[in-house]
Amino acid sequence: MKKVILLLLASLTVLPASADWIEVCFKDDECGEVYELSSDEFDGEAKEILNNLEKLKVGVYKAYPYYFKNDYRGLYYPDDNNIFLNMGYIGVHDDFLNILRHESWHVVQDCKDGLYNSSLQKIWSTVPQQYTEEAKKRYGLDPTVIRIEREALWAGETYGMSAAQTGECVKKYGL
């Protein structure tokens, strides 16, 4: 039932008039239709984050819910520098921004070790405890996953955090 509701929500997602889908293949070798997002379509913090990601050559795409295993709201693939956002969750502006911030934080973690690799590193040594607890609930007890995800959860709920740090990545690479 939850999948049906997500598919209905995704069908209500309005695509820009000029949006043409492109085909990509996901990690499980399933290929599908995605829609690329552009900073020109947004304003404010979303525009800033997307503009920074464009400079870093990180693709940001929205895709239908059935491409997301385990009902994920978004995914970042560090080995090919692409973010995929689940259209079943991004219809509400605050949800979209939270997911964009979260996934772009993973780009920041990737940037720490050199953006064009497949390694995510923690940025902060201290993170508010509530995000550590939330990471444990969502992702299990693997300490490596918790260190990475707790920061992304924090960034997802914090105005300007992802925008500022993706901007630092742009500076690091002289873009």
Side-chain angles (χ1 to χ4, degrees), residues 156-167:
E157 293 185 3
T158 305
Y159 174 82
M161 190 169 162
S162 293
Q165 292 301 308
T166 55

Side-chain angles (χ1 to χ4, degrees), residues 24-77:
V24 299
C25 294
F26 299 89
K27 290 295 166 215
D28 59 4
D29 292 327
E30 180 177 3
C31 298
E33 300 172 4
V34 298
Y35 301 87
E36 188 166 15
L37 297 180
S38 166
S39 62
D40 296 337
E41 301 169 35
F42 297 91
D43 54 9
E45 185 181 11
K47 181 178 187 75
E48 184 178 356
I49 292 170
L50 288 167
N51 187 48
N52 289 338
L53 294 174
E54 288 166 4
K55 289 177 183 175
L56 293 166
K57 308 264 189 279
V58 173
V60 181
Y61 306 93
K62 56 185 175 180
Y64 291 102
Y66 48 82
Y67 294 122
F68 294 84
K69 303 247 186 279
N70 301 319
D71 211 22
Y72 288 133
R73 297 187 291 168
L75 296 167
Y76 173 61
Y77 292 146

